[in-house]
Amino acid sequence: MSNERHIEDLKEIRSLMEKSTRFLSLSGWSGIMAGIYALIGAYFANNYASSEVFLANPTHQLPFLVIGLSVMAAALITGAILTYLKTKKNGQTLFDKTALRMIAHIGFPMVVGFFVWLAFALQGGEHFMAGILLIFYGLGLINGSKYTLNDIRILGVALVVLGVLALFFTHYGLYLWAAGFGLGHIAYGVYMWMRYER
């Protein structure tokens, strides 16, 4: 009986320590929704890429930027709402020190990636865009995984691999982007929901 009590106490201490160093309230549904938004965005981007307007003027990249920013905004807003609801349920706050550390560690590689993307876009390297975005977002997830659930690292590694492939196979960039941001997020979200939330 005493041993069982000690084991329970140790589990509770471990849980408290984990909560103080890791943000554990990421929502599986936010991953699923981000993936759905990415697939919708890829559909519109593919339609534009095959349109007469783009074929007549392939340097006109603004619609791709608008689609990408719309997907990101929808994913961030939905993710923030669903994560807020989960943090409230778990008795955590959305912007405690651990959450801010996680955001900073995920965000830094993404900010660097944005400037790399911008430099390539201004130099006419549009065909590398999908690879750059996948790689730096994946690196952000890997970097931030030490402040949240380790499972996010697997998604990060998969995105980096897809990003490297997209740099070499630029004609398939949009499909690899859709596979990573779309199907990757959906698979990750379903896994998270089944493992931690169901």
Side-chain angles (χ1 to χ4, degrees), residues 40-109:
I40 293 168
Y43 171 78
F44 283 111
N46 189 52
N47 279 354
Y48 175 67
S50 357
S51 71
E52 289 179 15
V53 177
F54 179 71
L55 294 173
N57 185 13
T59 58
H60 190 241
Q61 299 288 315
L62 183 61
F64 292 121
L65 181 61
V66 170
I67 291 167
L69 290 174
S70 301
V71 167
M72 187 174 75
L76 286 173
I77 291 166
T78 305
I81 292 167
L82 293 172
T83 302
Y84 169 75
L85 294 172
K86 192 172 177 191
T87 55
K88 199 173 175 185
K89 184 179 173 184
N90 292 348
Q92 290 183 291
T93 57
L94 188 56
F95 293 111
D96 62 7
K97 282 184 183 178
T98 309
L100 292 174
R101 261 192 232 116
M102 180 196 69
I103 291 167
H105 280 78
I106 291 174
F108 180 72

Side-chain angles (χ1 to χ4, degrees), residues 26-40 71 74-75 78-79 82-83 137 155 178 180-195 197-198:
L26 290 177
S27 166
W29 272 104
S30 64
I32 294 167
M33 294 308 297
I36 291 169
Y37 297 145
L39 290 177
I40 293 168
V71 167
T78 305
L82 293 172
T83 302
Y137 179 58
L155 177 60
F181 286 109
L183 300 177
H185 271 111
I186 291 170
Y188 168 78
V190 169
Y191 169 78
M192 293 291 287
W193 180 79
M194 290 180 73
R195 181 168 182 185
E197 298 173 51
R198 188 170 56 167

Side-chain angles (χ1 to χ4, degrees), residues 127-128 131 135 161-173 176:
H127 44 290
F128 294 115
I135 288 169
V161 170
L162 289 171
V164 170
L165 289 172
L167 292 180
F168 287 97
F169 302 99
T170 53
H171 286 87
Y172 298 101
L176 291 164

